[in-house]
Amino acid sequence: MTHPVRAISAAAPATGPFSALGTSMRFARSTEIYGEDEDAEYLYQVISGAVRTYRILEDGRRQIGAFYLSGDIFGLEADETHISSAEAVCETRLVAVKRSALMARATQEKELARQLWNATARELRRFQEHLGLLISTTQERVVGFLLDMQRRVAKNNVVELSMSRQDIADYLGLTIETVSRTFTQLEQSGAISLPTSRRVELHNHATLNRLATA
């Protein structure tokens, strides 16, 4: 399969649900996977690393729409073109599969069709939850983001963030200064610890859940 994306190199075969039909590829940090308004020829699954989708607003600001982590499927579109751009947050390994081939196969394989249905449902839920965050207070946005990351990637209440503070700010519709200040306030309150800028230890979950809905 010839793939048009901007990958570093083809990688060893992947083991994800798309592996039988797709190609495993690696992308360097901040490498574009596809651009806004490009043909949506492929669907993707993250094997390792992280991906951000975003749009550039009329005033030049970047609005990140979603982060996709290991196991997530992205590139799903209602029409024939992408409504946003996608980039690797860090060094990332993906499986890319031709959309037409995947849809044809899904008409014959119930398990594959179920996976695509579940991916579509998760995408809708992710969109709804993101909208909810964007109309919340600053503290609710940051805490909600951390709790979401905990559900998706935490080990023993420790979240290793692959994204920068600027990424988080652009996802939450805040400034980087506001995000950094809120992280510091949460640390001072004892709700979290910050051993490094990318490592977050979550402590009092009752407090965090309360702050997320305050």
Coordinates of all heavy atoms in Angstrom, one line a residue, residues 128-204:
Q128 N -18.7 15.8 22.8 CA -19.7 16.3 23.7 C -19.0 16.7 25.0 O -19.3 17.8 25.6 CB -20.8 15.3 24.0 CG -21.7 15.1 22.8 CD -22.7 13.9 23.0 OE1 -22.4 13.0 23.7 NE2 -23.8 13.9 22.3
E129 N -18.1 15.9 25.5 CA -17.4 16.2 26.7 C -16.5 17.4 26.6 O -16.3 18.2 27.5 CB -16.6 14.9 27.2 CG -17.5 13.8 27.6 CD -16.7 12.5 27.9 OE1 -15.5 12.5 27.6 OE2 -17.3 11.6 28.5
H130 N -15.9 17.5 25.4 CA -15.0 18.7 25.2 C -15.9 20.0 25.2 O -15.4 21.0 25.7 CB -14.3 18.5 23.8 CG -13.2 19.5 23.6 ND1 -12.8 19.9 22.4 CD2 -12.5 20.3 24.5 CE1 -11.8 20.8 22.5 NE2 -11.6 21.1 23.7
L131 N -17.0 19.9 24.5 CA -17.9 21.1 24.6 C -18.3 21.4 26.0 O -18.3 22.6 26.4 CB -19.2 20.8 23.8 CG -19.1 20.9 22.3 CD1 -20.5 20.7 21.6 CD2 -18.6 22.3 21.8
G132 N -18.5 20.4 26.8 CA -18.8 20.7 28.2 C -17.7 21.4 29.0 O -17.9 22.3 29.8
L133 N -16.5 20.9 28.7 CA -15.3 21.6 29.3 C -15.2 23.0 28.9 O -14.9 23.9 29.7 CB -14.0 20.8 28.9 CG -13.6 19.6 29.6 CD1 -12.3 19.0 29.1 CD2 -13.6 19.8 31.1
L134 N -15.4 23.3 27.6 CA -15.2 24.7 27.1 C -16.2 25.7 27.7 O -15.9 26.9 27.6 CB -15.3 24.7 25.6 CG -14.2 24.0 24.9 CD1 -14.4 24.0 23.4 CD2 -12.8 24.6 25.2
I135 N -17.3 25.3 28.3 CA -18.2 26.2 28.9 C -18.1 26.2 30.5 O -19.0 26.7 31.2 CB -19.7 25.9 28.5 CG1 -20.1 24.5 28.9 CG2 -19.8 26.1 27.0 CD1 -21.6 24.3 28.6
S136 N -17.1 25.5 31.0 CA -16.9 25.4 32.4 C -15.9 26.5 32.9 O -15.3 27.2 32.1 CB -16.3 24.0 32.8 OG -17.2 23.0 32.3
T137 N -15.7 26.6 34.2 CA -14.8 27.5 34.8 C -13.4 27.0 34.5 O -13.2 25.9 34.1 CB -15.0 27.6 36.3 OG1 -14.6 26.4 36.9 CG2 -16.4 28.0 36.7
T138 N -12.4 27.9 34.7 CA -11.0 27.5 34.4 C -10.6 26.3 35.2 O -10.0 25.3 34.7 CB -10.1 28.7 34.8 OG1 -10.4 29.8 33.9 CG2 -8.6 28.3 34.7
Q139 N -10.9 26.3 36.5 CA -10.5 25.2 37.4 C -11.2 23.9 36.9 O -10.6 22.8 36.9 CB -10.9 25.5 38.8 CG -10.5 24.4 39.8 CD -10.7 24.8 41.2 OE1 -9.8 25.3 41.9 NE2 -12.0 24.7 41.7
E140 N -12.5 24.0 36.6 CA -13.2 22.8 36.1 C -12.6 22.2 34.8 O -12.5 21.0 34.7 CB -14.7 23.1 35.9 CG -15.5 23.4 37.2 CD -16.8 24.0 37.0 OE1 -17.1 24.4 35.8 OE2 -17.6 24.0 37.9
R141 N -12.2 23.1 34.0 CA -11.6 22.7 32.7 C -10.3 21.9 33.0 O -10.1 20.8 32.4 CB -11.3 23.9 31.8 CG -12.5 24.6 31.3 CD -12.1 25.7 30.3 NE -13.1 26.8 30.3 CZ -13.1 27.7 29.4 NH1 -12.2 27.8 28.5 NH2 -14.0 28.7 29.5
V142 N -9.4 22.4 33.8 CA -8.1 21.8 34.1 C -8.3 20.5 34.8 O -7.7 19.5 34.4 CB -7.2 22.8 34.8 CG1 -5.9 22.0 35.2 CG2 -6.8 24.0 34.0
V143 N -9.1 20.5 35.8 CA -9.4 19.3 36.6 C -10.1 18.2 35.7 O -9.7 17.0 35.8 CB -10.2 19.6 37.9 CG1 -10.6 18.3 38.6 CG2 -9.4 20.4 38.8
G144 N -11.0 18.7 34.9 CA -11.7 17.7 34.0 C -10.7 17.1 33.1 O -10.8 15.9 32.8
F145 N -9.8 17.9 32.6 CA -8.8 17.3 31.6 C -7.9 16.3 32.3 O -7.7 15.2 31.8 CB -7.9 18.5 31.1 CG -6.7 18.0 30.4 CD1 -6.8 17.6 29.1 CD2 -5.4 18.0 31.0 CE1 -5.6 17.1 28.4 CE2 -4.3 17.6 30.3 CZ -4.4 17.1 29.0
L146 N -7.5 16.6 33.6 CA -6.6 15.7 34.3 C -7.4 14.4 34.6 O -6.8 13.3 34.5 CB -6.1 16.3 35.6 CG -5.1 17.4 35.4 CD1 -4.8 18.1 36.8 CD2 -3.8 16.9 34.8
L147 N -8.6 14.5 35.0 CA -9.4 13.3 35.3 C -9.6 12.4 34.0 O -9.6 11.2 34.1 CB -10.8 13.6 35.9 CG -10.7 14.2 37.3 CD1 -12.1 14.6 37.8 CD2 -10.1 13.2 38.3
D148 N -9.8 13.1 32.9 CA -9.9 12.4 31.6 C -8.6 11.6 31.3 O -8.6 10.5 30.9 CB -10.3 13.3 30.5 CG -10.4 12.6 29.1 OD1 -11.1 11.6 29.1 OD2 -9.9 13.1 28.1
M149 N -7.5 12.3 31.5 CA -6.2 11.7 31.2 C -6.0 10.5 32.2 O -5.4 9.5 31.8 CB -5.1 12.7 31.4 CG -5.0 13.7 30.3 SD -4.6 13.0 28.6 CE -6.2 13.1 27.8
Q150 N -6.4 10.7 33.4 CA -6.3 9.6 34.4 C -7.1 8.3 33.9 O -6.5 7.2 34.0 CB -6.8 10.0 35.8 CG -6.7 8.9 36.8 CD -7.6 9.0 37.9 OE1 -8.6 9.7 37.9 NE2 -7.4 8.4 39.0
R151 N -8.3 8.5 33.4 CA -9.1 7.4 32.9 C -8.4 6.7 31.7 O -8.5 5.5 31.6 CB -10.5 7.9 32.5 CG -11.4 8.2 33.7 CD -12.8 8.5 33.2 NE -12.9 9.7 32.4 CZ -13.2 10.9 32.9 NH1 -13.4 11.0 34.2 NH2 -13.3 11.9 32.1
R152 N -7.7 7.5 31.0 CA -7.1 7.0 29.7 C -5.7 6.4 29.8 O -5.4 5.5 29.1 CB -7.2 8.0 28.6 CG -8.7 8.5 28.3 CD -8.7 9.7 27.4 NE -8.3 9.4 26.1 CZ -8.2 10.3 25.1 NH1 -8.4 11.6 25.4 NH2 -7.7 10.0 23.9
V153 N -4.9 7.1 30.6 CA -3.5 6.7 30.6 C -2.8 6.5 32.0 O -1.7 6.1 32.1 CB -2.6 7.7 29.8 CG1 -3.1 7.8 28.4 CG2 -2.6 9.1 30.5
A154 N -3.5 6.8 33.1 CA -2.9 6.8 34.4 C -2.5 5.4 34.9 O -3.2 4.4 34.6 CB -3.8 7.4 35.5
K155 N -1.4 5.3 35.6 CA -0.9 4.1 36.2 C -0.7 4.4 37.7 O 0.1 5.3 38.0 CB 0.3 3.6 35.6 CG 0.2 3.1 34.2 CD 1.5 2.6 33.6 CE 1.3 2.1 32.1 NZ 2.6 1.6 31.6
N156 N -1.5 3.8 38.6 CA -1.3 4.1 40.0 C -1.5 5.6 40.3 O -0.7 6.2 41.1 CB 0.0 3.6 40.5 CG 0.2 2.1 40.4 OD1 -0.7 1.3 40.6 ND2 1.4 1.7 40.0
N157 N -2.5 6.2 39.7 CA -2.8 7.6 39.9 C -1.7 8.6 39.5 O -1.7 9.7 39.9 CB -3.1 7.9 41.4 CG -4.4 7.1 41.8 OD1 -5.4 7.0 41.1 ND2 -4.3 6.6 43.1
V158 N -0.8 8.1 38.6 CA 0.2 8.9 38.0 C -0.1 9.1 36.5 O -0.2 8.1 35.8 CB 1.6 8.3 38.2 CG1 2.7 9.2 37.5 CG2 1.9 8.2 39.7
V159 N -0.2 10.3 36.1 CA -0.4 10.7 34.7 C 0.8 11.2 34.1 O 1.4 12.2 34.5 CB -1.6 11.7 34.6 CG1 -1.8 12.0 33.1 CG2 -2.9 11.2 35.2
E160 N 1.3 10.5 33.0 CA 2.5 11.0 32.3 C 1.9 11.7 31.0 O 1.4 11.1 30.1 CB 3.4 9.9 31.9 CG 4.0 9.1 33.0 CD 5.2 9.9 33.7 OE1 5.5 11.0 33.2 OE2 5.7 9.4 34.7
L161 N 2.0 13.1 31.0 CA 1.4 13.8 29.9 C 2.4 13.9 28.8 O 3.5 14.3 28.9 CB 1.1 15.3 30.4 CG 0.1 15.4 31.5 CD1 0.0 16.8 32.0 CD2 -1.3 15.0 31.0
S162 N 1.9 13.5 27.6 CA 2.8 13.6 26.4 C 2.7 15.0 25.8 O 3.5 15.4 25.1 CB 2.4 12.6 25.4 OG 1.0 12.7 25.1
M163 N 1.6 15.7 26.2 CA 1.4 17.1 25.6 C 1.9 18.2 26.5 O 2.1 18.0 27.7 CB -0.1 17.3 25.3 CG -1.0 17.2 26.5 SD -1.3 15.5 27.2 CE -2.2 14.7 25.8
S164 N 2.2 19.3 25.9 CA 2.8 20.4 26.6 C 1.7 21.3 27.3 O 0.5 21.1 27.0 CB 3.6 21.3 25.6 OG 2.7 21.9 24.7
R165 N 2.1 22.2 28.1 CA 1.1 23.1 28.7 C 0.4 23.9 27.6 O -0.8 24.2 27.7 CB 1.8 24.1 29.6 CG 2.4 23.4 30.9 CD 1.3 23.1 31.9 NE 1.8 22.8 33.2 CZ 2.2 21.5 33.6 NH1 2.1 20.5 32.7 NH2 2.7 21.3 34.8
Q166 N 1.2 24.3 26.5 CA 0.5 25.0 25.4 C -0.5 24.2 24.7 O -1.6 24.7 24.4 CB 1.6 25.5 24.4 CG 1.0 26.4 23.3 CD 0.5 27.7 23.9 OE1 1.3 28.5 24.5 NE2 -0.8 28.0 23.8
D167 N -0.3 22.9 24.6 CA -1.3 22.0 24.0 C -2.5 22.0 24.9 O -3.6 22.0 24.4 CB -0.7 20.6 23.9 CG 0.3 20.4 22.7 OD1 0.2 21.2 21.8 OD2 1.1 19.4 22.8
I168 N -2.3 21.8 26.2 CA -3.4 21.8 27.1 C -4.2 23.1 27.0 O -5.5 23.1 27.0 CB -2.9 21.5 28.5 CG1 -2.3 20.1 28.6 CG2 -4.1 21.6 29.5 CD1 -1.5 19.9 29.9
A169 N -3.5 24.2 27.0 CA -4.2 25.5 26.9 C -5.0 25.6 25.6 O -6.2 26.1 25.7 CB -3.2 26.6 27.0
D170 N -4.5 25.2 24.5 CA -5.2 25.3 23.2 C -6.3 24.3 23.2 O -7.3 24.5 22.4 CB -4.2 25.0 22.1 CG -3.2 26.1 21.9 OD1 -3.4 27.2 22.5 OD2 -2.2 25.9 21.1
Y171 N -6.3 23.2 24.0 CA -7.4 22.3 24.0 C -8.5 22.8 24.9 O -9.7 22.7 24.6 CB -6.9 21.0 24.6 CG -8.0 19.9 24.8 CD1 -8.6 19.3 23.7 CD2 -8.3 19.5 26.1 CE1 -9.6 18.3 23.9 CE2 -9.3 18.6 26.3 CZ -9.9 18.0 25.2 OH -10.9 17.0 25.4
L172 N -8.2 23.5 26.0 CA -9.1 24.0 27.0 C -9.6 25.4 26.7 O -10.5 25.9 27.4 CB -8.6 23.9 28.4 CG -8.2 22.5 28.9 CD1 -7.6 22.6 30.3 CD2 -9.5 21.7 28.9
G173 N -9.1 26.1 25.6 CA -9.5 27.4 25.3 C -9.0 28.4 26.4 O -9.7 29.4 26.7
L174 N -7.8 28.2 26.9 CA -7.2 29.1 27.9 C -5.8 29.5 27.5 O -5.3 29.1 26.4 CB -7.1 28.3 29.3 CG -8.3 27.7 29.9 CD1 -8.0 26.8 31.0 CD2 -9.3 28.9 30.3
T175 N -5.2 30.4 28.2 CA -3.8 30.8 27.9 C -2.9 29.9 28.7 O -3.3 29.3 29.7 CB -3.6 32.3 28.4 OG1 -3.7 32.3 29.8 CG2 -4.5 33.3 27.7
I176 N -1.7 29.8 28.2 CA -0.7 28.9 28.9 C -0.4 29.4 30.3 O -0.2 28.6 31.2 CB 0.6 28.8 28.0 CG1 1.5 27.8 28.7 CG2 1.3 30.2 27.9 CD1 2.7 27.5 27.8
E177 N -0.5 30.7 30.5 CA -0.3 31.3 31.8 C -1.4 30.8 32.8 O -1.1 30.5 34.0 CB -0.2 32.8 31.8 CG 1.0 33.4 31.0 CD 0.8 33.4 29.5 OE1 -0.3 33.1 29.1 OE2 1.8 33.7 28.8
T178 N -2.6 30.8 32.3 CA -3.7 30.4 33.1 C -3.6 28.9 33.5 O -3.9 28.5 34.6 CB -5.1 30.7 32.4 OG1 -5.2 32.1 32.2 CG2 -6.2 30.2 33.2
V179 N -3.3 28.1 32.5 CA -3.1 26.7 32.8 C -2.0 26.4 33.8 O -2.2 25.7 34.8 CB -2.8 25.9 31.5 CG1 -2.4 24.5 31.8 CG2 -4.0 25.9 30.6
S180 N -0.9 27.1 33.6 CA 0.2 26.9 34.6 C -0.1 27.4 36.0 O 0.2 26.7 37.0 CB 1.5 27.7 34.1 OG 1.9 27.1 32.8
R181 N -0.8 28.5 36.1 CA -1.3 29.0 37.4 C -2.2 28.0 38.1 O -2.1 27.8 39.3 CB -1.9 30.4 37.2 CG -2.3 31.0 38.5 CD -2.7 32.5 38.3 NE -3.8 32.7 37.4 CZ -3.7 33.2 36.2 NH1 -2.5 33.6 35.7 NH2 -4.7 33.3 35.4
T182 N -3.1 27.5 37.3 CA -4.1 26.5 37.8 C -3.5 25.2 38.3 O -3.8 24.7 39.4 CB -5.2 26.2 36.8 OG1 -5.8 27.5 36.4 CG2 -6.3 25.4 37.4
F183 N -2.5 24.8 37.6 CA -1.7 23.6 38.0 C -1.0 23.9 39.4 O -1.0 23.1 40.3 CB -0.7 23.2 37.0 CG -1.1 22.2 36.0 CD1 -1.9 22.6 34.9 CD2 -0.7 20.9 36.1 CE1 -2.3 21.6 34.0 CE2 -1.1 19.9 35.2 CZ -1.9 20.3 34.1
T184 N -0.5 25.1 39.5 CA 0.2 25.5 40.7 C -0.8 25.5 41.9 O -0.5 25.1 43.0 CB 0.9 26.8 40.6 OG1 1.9 26.7 39.5 CG2 1.6 27.2 41.9
Q185 N -1.9 26.1 41.6 CA -3.0 26.2 42.7 C -3.4 24.8 43.1 O -3.6 24.6 44.3 CB -4.2 27.0 42.2 CG -3.8 28.5 42.0 CD -4.9 29.2 41.2 OE1 -5.8 28.6 40.6 NE2 -4.9 30.6 41.2
L186 N -3.6 23.9 42.2 CA -4.0 22.5 42.5 C -2.9 21.8 43.4 O -3.2 21.1 44.3 CB -4.3 21.7 41.3 CG -5.6 22.2 40.5 CD1 -5.6 21.4 39.2 CD2 -6.8 21.9 41.3
E187 N -1.7 22.1 43.0 CA -0.6 21.5 43.8 C -0.5 22.1 45.2 O -0.4 21.3 46.2 CB 0.7 21.7 43.1 CG 1.9 21.1 43.8 CD 3.2 21.2 43.0 OE1 3.4 22.3 42.4 OE2 4.1 20.3 43.0
Q188 N -0.7 23.4 45.3 CA -0.7 24.0 46.6 C -1.9 23.5 47.5 O -1.7 23.5 48.7 CB -0.7 25.5 46.5 CG 0.5 26.1 45.9 CD 0.4 27.6 45.5 OE1 -0.7 28.1 45.5 NE2 1.6 28.2 45.4
S189 N -3.0 23.2 46.9 CA -4.1 22.7 47.6 C -4.0 21.2 48.1 O -4.8 20.7 48.9 CB -5.4 22.8 46.8 OG -5.4 21.8 45.8
G190 N -3.0 20.5 47.5 CA -2.7 19.1 47.9 C -3.5 18.2 47.0 O -3.4 16.9 47.2
A191 N -4.2 18.7 46.0 CA -5.0 17.8 45.1 C -4.1 17.0 44.2 O -4.4 15.9 43.8 CB -6.0 18.6 44.3
I192 N -3.0 17.6 43.8 CA -2.0 17.0 42.9 C -0.6 17.3 43.3 O -0.4 18.2 44.1 CB -2.2 17.4 41.4 CG1 -1.8 18.9 41.3 CG2 -3.6 17.1 40.9 CD1 -1.8 19.4 39.8
S193 N 0.4 16.5 42.8 CA 1.8 16.8 42.9 C 2.3 16.9 41.5 O 1.9 16.2 40.6 CB 2.5 15.7 43.7 OG 2.1 15.7 45.1
L194 N 3.4 17.7 41.3 CA 4.0 17.9 40.0 C 5.5 17.6 40.2 O 6.3 18.5 40.2 CB 3.8 19.3 39.5 CG 2.3 19.7 39.3 CD1 2.2 21.2 39.0 CD2 1.8 18.9 38.1
P195 N 5.9 16.3 40.2 CA 7.4 16.0 40.2 C 8.1 16.6 39.1 O 9.3 17.0 39.2 CB 7.4 14.5 40.2 CG 6.0 14.1 40.7 CD 5.1 15.1 40.2
T196 N 7.5 16.6 37.9 CA 8.0 17.3 36.7 C 6.9 18.0 36.0 O 5.7 17.8 36.3 CB 8.7 16.3 35.7 OG1 7.7 15.5 35.1 CG2 9.7 15.4 36.5
S197 N 7.2 18.7 34.9 CA 6.1 19.4 34.2 C 5.2 18.5 33.5 O 4.0 18.8 33.2 CB 6.7 20.4 33.2 OG 7.5 19.7 32.3
R198 N 5.7 17.3 33.2 CA 4.8 16.3 32.4 C 4.3 15.2 33.3 O 3.5 14.4 32.8 CB 5.7 15.7 31.3 CG 6.2 16.7 30.2 CD 5.0 17.3 29.4 NE 5.5 18.2 28.4 CZ 5.7 17.9 27.1 NH1 5.4 16.6 26.8 NH2 6.1 18.7 26.3
R199 N 4.7 15.1 34.5 CA 4.3 14.0 35.4 C 3.4 14.6 36.5 O 3.8 15.5 37.3 CB 5.5 13.4 36.1 CG 5.2 12.1 37.0 CD 6.4 11.6 37.6 NE 6.2 10.5 38.5 CZ 6.2 9.2 38.1 NH1 6.5 8.9 36.9 NH2 5.9 8.2 39.0
V200 N 2.1 14.1 36.6 CA 1.1 14.6 37.5 C 0.7 13.4 38.4 O 0.2 12.4 37.9 CB -0.1 15.2 36.8 CG1 -1.1 15.8 37.8 CG2 0.4 16.3 35.8
E201 N 0.8 13.6 39.7 CA 0.3 12.6 40.7 C -1.0 13.1 41.3 O -1.0 14.2 41.8 CB 1.4 12.4 41.7 CG 2.7 11.8 41.2 CD 3.7 11.6 42.3 OE1 3.5 12.0 43.4 OE2 4.8 11.1 41.9
L202 N -2.0 12.3 41.1 CA -3.4 12.7 41.6 C -3.6 12.1 43.0 O -3.3 10.9 43.2 CB -4.5 12.2 40.6 CG -4.3 12.6 39.2 CD1 -5.5 12.0 38.4 CD2 -4.2 14.1 39.0
H203 N -4.0 13.0 43.9 CA -4.1 12.5 45.3 C -5.5 12.4 45.8 O -6.1 11.2 45.8 CB -3.4 13.5 46.2 CG -1.9 13.6 45.9 ND1 -1.1 12.5 45.9 CD2 -1.1 14.7 45.7 CE1 0.2 12.9 45.6 NE2 0.2 14.2 45.5
N204 N -6.2 13.4 46.1 CA -7.5 13.3 46.7 C -8.6 13.3 45.6 O -9.0 14.4 45.1 CB -7.7 14.5 47.6 CG -9.0 14.4 48.5 OD1 -10.0 13.8 48.0 ND2 -8.9 14.8 49.7

